[in-house]
Amino acid sequence: MHNFKILSTGLVAIALLATGCTPTDQHSQNTSEVPTAQSVQTTESPSPTASPTVSPTASPTASPTASPTTPRQNNLSSSDRQFMIEAAQGGLAEVQLGQLASQRGAKAAVKQYGQRMVQDHTPVNNQLKQLATQKGVTLPTSIGKKNQQVKQRLSKLSGTNFDRQYMNQMLQDHEKDVSAFQTEAQQGQDADLKAFAAQALPTLQEHLSQARSIINPKSSTSTPTPTSTP
C-alpha cells in the first residue's frame, strides 16, 4: 500500500511536469511569431511615401527647361532692316553699272572707275550677305525697279554721253550712300550693323570724292583730302 502511494504520487508529478512544459512552449511560439508579422508591416509601410516623392520632382523639372530654349531669335529694328535691304540693292547696282562702265565708257578714267566699283563693292556685298544670314534677314537678289531703269537708260548710251550720265549717276548714288552709312554708323541699334557701316564708310567717301573729280577735274586740286582716309 505504501508502495502504491509512492507510485501514484510519482505519476502525478510526471503528469504535472508534462502539462507545465506544453503551455510554456505554445506561449513562446506565439510570442515569437507575433513580432515577425508586425516587423513585416513596419517595413512595408514606407512604400506609400515613395510614390508622392517621384511625381512632384519629375513634372516641374521637365517643363521649365524646354521653355527658355525656344525664344532665340534676333530682333532687328525696322530702320536697321531697311538699311540692310537698301544697302544690298545699292551694292548690287554699283557692281552691275560698274561692269557696264568698264565696257561702254569712253574715257579711261570712267572705265577705271567702273572697274573699281566692281572690285570694291563685291566684297562689301558679300560681307553684308554674311551679316544678313546671322541676323535672319533675307536680302533682295535684284537691284530694284529704280536701279533697273537707270541701267536700261545707260545701256542705250555710248561715248561721252555715257560718261557724263554714268558719272552723274555715281555722284547721286554715292551722296545717298555716304549719308545712309553715316546715319547707320552713328544711330544704328544693332552693334554689328553699326560696325559694318563704319567700316565701309571710308571707301564710299572715296568713291564720292573720285566721282566729283572725274566730273569736274579742276576741283581735283582741292579734293585730295579723302585719299588720305584709307
Side-chain angles (χ1 to χ4, degrees):
M1 187 73 179
H2 184 265
N3 289 334
F4 179 74
K5 266 185 184 183
I6 292 170
L7 184 60
S8 63
T9 55
L11 288 171
V12 169
I14 291 167
L16 284 171
L17 283 170
T19 54
C21 288
T22 50
T24 54
D25 291 340
Q26 285 178 356
H27 183 266
S28 65
Q29 281 179 355
N30 290 337
T31 53
S32 64
E33 287 174 4
V34 169
T36 54
Q38 288 177 350
S39 67
V40 169
Q41 284 182 351
T42 52
T43 51
E44 289 178 357
S45 60
S47 63
T49 57
S51 60
T53 52
V54 177
S55 61
T57 51
S59 59
T61 49
S63 59
T65 48
S67 58
T69 51
T70 354
R72 270 229 134 189
Q73 281 183 337
N74 210 328
N75 294 326
L76 278 180
S77 67
S78 57
S79 58
D80 284 348
R81 196 178 293 268
Q82 187 65 25
F83 167 76
M84 291 184 81
I85 292 170
E86 289 178 0
Q89 281 185 335
L92 289 173
E94 299 297 348
V95 171
Q96 293 186 21
L97 294 178
Q99 291 169 343
L100 198 63
S102 62
Q103 296 165 4
R104 302 182 74 87
K107 290 181 181 177
V110 174
K111 284 179 175 286
Q112 288 170 5
Y113 187 88
Q115 289 169 1
R116 186 175 181 186
M117 293 303 101
V118 177
Q119 290 170 3
D120 289 355
H121 280 278
T122 300
V124 173
N125 293 347
N126 291 335
Q127 194 178 350
L128 185 60
K129 274 183 191 176
Q130 290 176 359
L131 200 56
T133 307
Q134 292 173 11
K135 304 295 175 185
V137 177
T138 305
L139 294 180
T141 53
S142 68
I143 62 176
K145 251 187 183 180
K146 288 182 181 178
N147 293 322
Q148 190 63 41
Q149 288 171 358
V150 171
K151 185 181 176 182
Q152 288 175 356
R153 177 169 54 83
L154 289 175
S155 60
K156 295 173 184 176
L157 304 175
S158 59
T160 314
N161 199 13
F162 174 87
D163 289 355
R164 186 177 65 255
Q165 294 287 335
Y166 171 72
M167 292 313 304
N168 284 334
Q169 186 64 45
M170 288 300 100
L171 182 65
Q172 292 174 21
D173 288 351
H174 283 88
E175 282 175 347
K176 286 180 186 175
D177 291 345
V178 167
S179 175
F181 274 70
Q182 271 178 342
T183 304
E184 183 64 26
Q186 293 168 3
Q187 301 174 16
Q189 296 182 24
D190 185 84
D192 295 329
L193 271 179
K194 286 179 74 172
F196 164 77
Q199 187 181 358
L201 187 56
T203 304
L204 296 174
Q205 288 171 333
E206 252 188 83
H207 293 171
L208 177 59
S209 173
Q210 194 176 355
R212 283 174 178 159
S213 66
I214 291 174
I215 292 170
N216 189 5
K218 292 177 184 178
S219 65
S220 61
T221 52
S222 61
T223 339
T225 38
T227 28
S228 58
T229 4

